[in-house]
């Protein structure tokens, strides 16, 4: 609710393509490209299913936003191996409870403005295979243009979201993790290069 409220209050409106029925008792690994802090609100507003983010600990310090961020995230200190392991343990606990997880697999917003989609890290795909839950890829088209990390940039307007077909992991092993990661990366990259909406 707060994701929808913030997006509307900032002058944005969503246009979504793809309506895949989610099993209310199922768990999913939601993944998307990452351009902006707006991606978090957009994911919450788009996905009508209980899930938690795995996200950077530093963002919890941002006033107001940080309060909601802490409520919806498993926080990770990427510099700490112990923290990363604790995140996996907590994510596994949440999945066993029947929740879903959302990870932006680029690991952060690309430093180079010219990068359309950075390489994916493997954590999301390892978890999905471990728990045999489908990958649910989404593409966010406009968040960099509408609300980027560049000071005083952006404008109100349309936020396009493409919800792709789910990628099953049933029967897959960790040896197939890289292939699953590359498949998901290609789906999102193709949509960014050739938008279908």
């Amino acid at each position: 609710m707060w994701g929808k409220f913030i997006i509307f209050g900032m002058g944005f409106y969503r246009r979504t393509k793809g309506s895949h029925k989610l099993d209310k008792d199922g768990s999913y690994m939601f993944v998307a490209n990452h351009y902006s802090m707006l991606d978090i609100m957009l994911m919450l507003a788009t996905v009508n299913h209980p899930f938690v983010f795995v996200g950077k600990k530093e963002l919890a310090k941002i006033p107001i936003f940080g309060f909601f961020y802490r409520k919806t995230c498993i926080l990770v200190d990427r510099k700490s191996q112990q923290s990363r392991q604790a995140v996996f343990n907590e994510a596994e606990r949440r999945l066993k409870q029947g929740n879903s997880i959302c990870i932006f697999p680029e690991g952060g917003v690309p430093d180079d403005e010219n990068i359309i989609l950075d390489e994916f890290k493997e954590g999301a795909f390892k978890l999905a295979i471990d728990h045999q839950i489908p990958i649910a890829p989404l593409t966010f088209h406009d968040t960099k243009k509408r609300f980027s990390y560049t000071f005083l940039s952006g404008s109100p307007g349309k936020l396009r979201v493409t919800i792709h077909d789910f990628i099953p992991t049933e029967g897959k092993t960790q040896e197939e993790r890289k292939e699953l990661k590359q498949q998901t990366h290609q789906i999102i990259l193709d949509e960014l290069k050739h938008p279908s909406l």
Side-chain angles (χ1 to χ4, degrees), residues 2-3 6-7 10 12 33-44 53 56 58-63 65-66 69 104 108-109 140 143-144 146-150:
W2 69 267
I6 290 174
I7 284 174
M10 292 174 72
F12 305 120
N33 55 308
H34 196 18
Y35 284 154
S36 163
M37 282 192 293
L38 193 60
D39 297 331
I40 295 168
M41 277 77 80
L42 187 56
M43 183 69 78
L44 287 166
F53 288 102
K56 295 186 294 184
E58 305 92 279
L59 295 182
K61 298 176 182 177
I62 298 172
F65 172 85
Y69 184 72
F104 295 110
V109 175
F140 296 159
T143 52
K144 181 187 283 187
R146 298 293 178 210
F147 194 76
S148 76
Y149 279 88
T150 305

Side-chain angles (χ1 to χ4, degrees), residues 1-41:
M1 288 179 65
W2 69 267
K4 291 178 180 178
F5 177 78
I6 290 174
I7 284 174
F8 179 78
M10 292 174 72
F12 305 120
Y13 63 94
R14 289 181 299 127
R15 183 181 173 193
T16 304
K17 178 183 179 183
S19 55
H20 305 287
K21 190 172 181 180
L22 296 167
D23 180 354
K24 66 177 183 179
D25 297 319
S27 294
Y28 300 85
M29 179 61 69
F30 297 105
V31 299
N33 55 308
H34 196 18
Y35 284 154
S36 163
M37 282 192 293
L38 193 60
D39 297 331
I40 295 168
M41 277 77 80

Side-chain angles (χ1 to χ4, degrees), residues 86-106:
V87 165
F88 268 95
N89 294 341
E90 178 62 14
E92 287 181 345
R93 186 181 74 82
R94 298 293 187 99
L95 286 168
K96 286 175 181 176
Q97 292 175 340
N99 293 307
S100 295
I101 301 289
C102 175
I103 296 178
F104 295 110
E106 291 168 278

Side-chain angles (χ1 to χ4, degrees), residues 39-188:
D39 297 331
I40 295 168
M41 277 77 80
L42 187 56
M43 183 69 78
L44 287 166
T46 301
V47 175
N48 187 23
H49 193 75
F51 69 91
V52 293
F53 288 102
V54 173
K56 295 186 294 184
K57 184 179 179 180
E58 305 92 279
L59 295 182
K61 298 176 182 177
I62 298 172
I64 303 175
F65 172 85
F67 171 80
F68 293 106
Y69 184 72
R70 287 191 297 272
K71 298 291 185 185
T72 57
C73 280
I74 301 170
L75 302 179
V76 58
D77 180 354
R78 292 184 296 174
K79 298 176 183 176
S80 166
Q81 177 63 37
Q82 185 178 4
S83 175
R84 290 198 298 270
Q85 184 57 51
V87 165
F88 268 95
N89 294 341
E90 178 62 14
E92 287 181 345
R93 186 181 74 82
R94 298 293 187 99
L95 286 168
K96 286 175 181 176
Q97 292 175 340
N99 293 307
S100 295
I101 301 289
C102 175
I103 296 178
F104 295 110
E106 291 168 278
V109 175
D111 294 329
D112 187 341
E113 285 288 320
N114 297 315
I115 293 176
I116 297 175
L117 185 67
D118 213 344
E119 291 298 317
F120 283 179
K121 302 187 186 312
E122 294 187 358
F125 308 97
K126 180 181 186 304
L127 273 171
I129 291 172
D130 278 348
H131 294 271
Q132 299 286 281
I133 59 174
I135 302 288
L138 294 88
T139 302
F140 296 159
H141 293 274
D142 304 301
T143 52
K144 181 187 283 187
K145 177 171 66 176
R146 298 293 178 210
F147 194 76
S148 76
Y149 279 88
T150 305
F151 188 61
L152 293 180
S153 68
S155 63
K158 178 170 58 180
L159 296 173
R160 293 170 295 162
V161 180
T162 303
I163 305 171
H164 301 280
D165 292 338
F166 304 149
I167 304 171
T169 62
E170 189 175 349
K172 291 189 181 294
T173 66
Q174 290 301 334
E175 285 70 31
E176 299 171 272
R177 184 170 70 235
K178 288 186 178 179
E179 181 183 335
L180 182 63
K181 177 185 74 170
Q182 290 166 356
Q183 179 186 359
T184 308
H185 186 277
Q186 193 63 50
I187 287 169
I188 295 175

